[in-house]
Amino acid sequence: MLEAQALLVRDEALHRSLAENLAAGRPLPDAIATAVDGYAAQLEALEDDYLRARAADVREAGRLLLAELTSGGASRLDGLERPSVVVAEELAPADLLSVPPELLLAVVTETGGRQSHAAIVARELGVPAVVAVAGAVAAAGAFAAVDGGEGTVRFSDRLDASAVRARSPQLDLAGLPVRIMANAGSVAAARAAAAAGARGIGLFRTEFLYLGREQAPSEEEQAEVYASVCTALHPHPVLVRTLDAGSDKTLPYLGVAVEPNPALGRRGIRLWLDQPQLHGPQVRALIATAREHTNLQVMLPMVGSRAEVEVARALFTAEAERQRTRLPRLGIMVELPAVAAALDSFAGLIEFASLGTNDLGQYALGADRELSWDAELGEFHPGLLRLIRGAVELGRRIGIEVGVCGEMAGAPAGARFLVGCGVSSLSMAVGSLATVAAALRGSDREDLRRQAEAATAEPDAARARARLSGGLDPRPAPS
Ligand code: PEP
Ligand code: MG
């Protein structure tokens, strides 16, 4: 989002109008404000909803530019020093990202919607947020009770002890038979995960470093990001996934031809291995990070064959030798049904595997993950449950850890099934950590194992899900 705003500031039409305003003798801030207003008004007059919505981005980019020129500090949250509930007329993604997430107890704004950029960033950071609260700024008192799930806000001048439903800064993981980790795509999200008590990052999606820009990030830029994430989560593990581009995540600057069926085309490790401009800097940056950060681990996406992993492993090994350091733990994502069914064939080549149930589901059921389907073609399909259970068992046989980082790990029934299958870790969006921890806390592993077994034996998704949600008696399936 920030990259897109930065691109807007470089727009030629905007520059032309700014130059005209300056030539007409207007002072610089005034010339910028007028040019931005004119450009935003043009967008607002368009028919297309999407383009009309970009007017807000243009105005935000103009506001940041003016703030930078006049006050030197563009963030509305400058000066926020202690953990607080922030109440504002409006907030932009840049504001939320300008302070450490642990200072944001909750956010309340008068403008915005569920899908507004600030709301999306708040979700990614795991900060409870309620938007579109008319009159919030005028009503705000010394205390606020904010429920991001229900979308309610209560202000008061006295602390109302009955409203304190602690958002515990640390997850209570007592007795959980599994490591609870978070998925993240930025340093800010990783810090939010650490603040929320995640025991590591089970999937760091590096593609967010590459998207929405004109060229790939340099080795130095990448190394800085990876090191910051490892520092934030230390001593817990950080699984950085090598670039998973292609399919729905295209990088225009690569100049790769569009394929007729990109989801089945060159994506993930296939594209990455093909392009030295992609794997070269990333391998160097990851090995440089591993020199200083022993909690770094590397994960390869969309792996289909042993040969791919052998080539990738050789790249990392050669670079580790060049930098005179050790090789980080190397693992694969299991996103292809054929790999799930033959995970044991990777014996001796990988230290861990992580089930990417989002892609595994779409490839196993032939159901595009971007479309909405009946739940019967979803995660609890009997075939998918068997595939997952079988893969965990194959991993156990070859002595590797098998975790899960697809969306299934972040839903209570999914998490119960996966722990019952014996996975070693669950990695999910920061916002799901507390719910999943609560759904698992105090669970008896043997009980979950029986439930998973019974769910796998059900003939359809609805009944499997009911078993895991306590809707059916979790008696063992007939053998
Ligand atoms: C997955 O496929 O389950 C996964 C976690 O990867 P992504 O959602 O980034 O494709
Ligand atoms: Mg995937």
Side-chain angles (χ1 to χ4, degrees):
M1 288 170 202
L2 300 183
E3 287 287 341
Q5 285 175 356
L7 276 180
L8 282 175
V9 177
R10 281 181 244 136
D11 184 273
E12 272 183 33
L14 194 61
H15 280 202
R16 259 197 314 279
S17 144
L18 178 58
E20 281 163 19
N21 292 345
L22 288 172
R26 287 175 188 268
L28 182 59
D30 186 29
I32 292 176
T34 316
V36 165
D37 273 353
Y39 191 28
Q42 275 176 23
L43 288 171
E44 274 157 358
L46 296 175
E47 294 265 304
D48 185 301
D49 284 349
Y50 176 80
L51 289 175
R52 262 208 321 278
R54 298 286 69 73
D57 291 330
V58 171
R59 290 194 195 283
E60 175 59 16
R63 187 190 69 78
L64 292 173
L65 195 58
L66 280 173
E68 198 62 45
L69 272 178
T70 50
S71 63
S75 169
R76 295 182 179 92
L77 298 184
D78 265 0
L80 183 68
E81 276 166 4
R82 54 195 180 103
S84 307
V85 174
V86 172
V87 184
E89 229 171 85
E90 64 173 53
L91 287 171
D95 298 320
L96 296 178
L97 294 169
S98 69
V99 292
E102 55 274 19
L103 293 187
L104 297 171
L105 293 180
V107 166
V108 180
T109 60
E110 295 192 354
T111 59
R114 248 187 79 72
Q115 298 307 329
S116 63
H117 284 163
I120 292 171
V121 170
R123 261 201 297 283
E124 163 97 359
L125 296 177
V127 175
V130 180
V131 297
V133 183
V137 173
F143 295 94
V146 181
D147 186 327
E150 295 294 323
T152 57
V153 184
R154 227 168 349 123
F155 294 117
S156 62
D157 289 321
R158 280 182 313 109
L159 180 61
D160 171 6
S162 71
V164 179
R165 188 148 37 91
R167 181 171 93 99
S168 159
Q170 286 300 313
L171 283 183
D172 173 9
L173 299 175
L176 284 190
V178 68
R179 183 184 280 274
I180 302 283
M181 307 169 90
N183 295 346
S186 65
V187 175
R191 289 194 181 128
R199 300 293 196 264
I201 298 291
L203 166 62
F204 186 76
R205 290 186 164 100
T206 59
E207 55 270 24
F208 292 122
L209 299 176
Y210 290 74
L211 293 167
R213 51 194 289 160
E214 285 160 12
Q215 57 190 31
S218 67
E219 178 185 331
E220 293 72 27
E221 184 182 343
Q222 289 186 53
E224 206 177 308
V225 169
Y226 306 151
S228 302
V229 176
C230 288
T231 303
L233 273 300
H234 180 84
H236 303 300
V238 171
L239 278 57
V240 175
R241 176 170 79 182
T242 56
L243 178 66
D244 183 24
S247 190
D248 56 331
K249 302 172 225 170
T250 49
L251 305 177
Y253 49 82
L254 284 185
V256 175
V258 177
E259 297 167 314
N261 201 346
L264 301 181
R266 281 197 306 162
R267 58 164 295 197
I269 193 168
R270 303 172 187 175
L271 181 69
W272 188 79
L273 283 179
D274 257 13
Q275 304 265 338
Q277 56 167 324
L278 292 181
H279 66 242
Q282 192 161 40
V283 168
R284 292 195 293 276
L286 285 167
I287 293 295
T289 310
R291 283 172 73 115
E292 311 285 331
H293 299 274
T294 48
N295 55 339
L296 176 90
Q297 307 189 16
V298 174
M299 185 156 77
L300 307 168
M302 273 297 285
V303 163
S305 70
R306 252 188 94 90
E308 289 166 345
V309 183
E310 279 163 358
V311 177
R313 198 170 179 102
L315 288 172
F316 281 104
T317 306
E319 184 57 28
E321 279 166 12
R322 199 185 67 79
Q323 294 192 31
R324 294 179 196 285
T325 187
R326 55 172 199 99
L327 191 65
R329 274 164 58 94
L330 191 70
I332 62 169
M333 287 199 66
V334 178
E335 292 162 292
L336 297 176
V339 170
L343 188 56
D344 52 332
S345 64
F346 290 82
L349 199 54
I350 53 174
E351 278 84 42
F352 66 91
S354 183
L355 301 177
T357 51
N358 309 338
D359 276 315
L360 190 60
Q362 85 161 341
Y363 292 122
L365 294 164
D368 187 335
R369 59 189 272 184
E370 299 298 324
L371 303 177
S372 70
W373 300 95
D374 183 278
E376 287 300 320
L377 283 184
E379 286 150 343
F380 295 96
H381 186 286
L384 196 51
L385 296 184
R386 284 174 210 185
L387 202 53
I388 291 170
R389 198 149 159 262
V392 179
E393 170 56 22
L394 291 177
R396 195 190 57 74
R397 259 190 240 163
I398 62 170
I400 61 168
E401 284 175 6
V402 181
V404 183
C405 61
E407 292 299 311
M408 190 176 187
R416 293 175 71 80
F417 173 76
L418 295 166
V419 176
C421 289
V423 302
S424 55
S425 65
L426 297 173
S427 190
M428 63 202 74
V430 174
S432 304
L433 289 167
T435 314
V436 167
L440 294 174
R441 195 171 304 125
S443 295
D444 174 59
R445 196 164 214 166
E446 183 49 30
D447 211 29
L448 291 177
R449 194 194 63 71
R450 272 201 305 270
Q451 278 186 25
E453 194 177 314
T456 314
E458 290 293 351
D460 59 33
R463 276 177 269 195
R465 183 184 211 118
R467 280 227 178 264
L468 295 154
S469 310
L472 287 177
D473 175 15
R475 65 177 173 273
S479 51

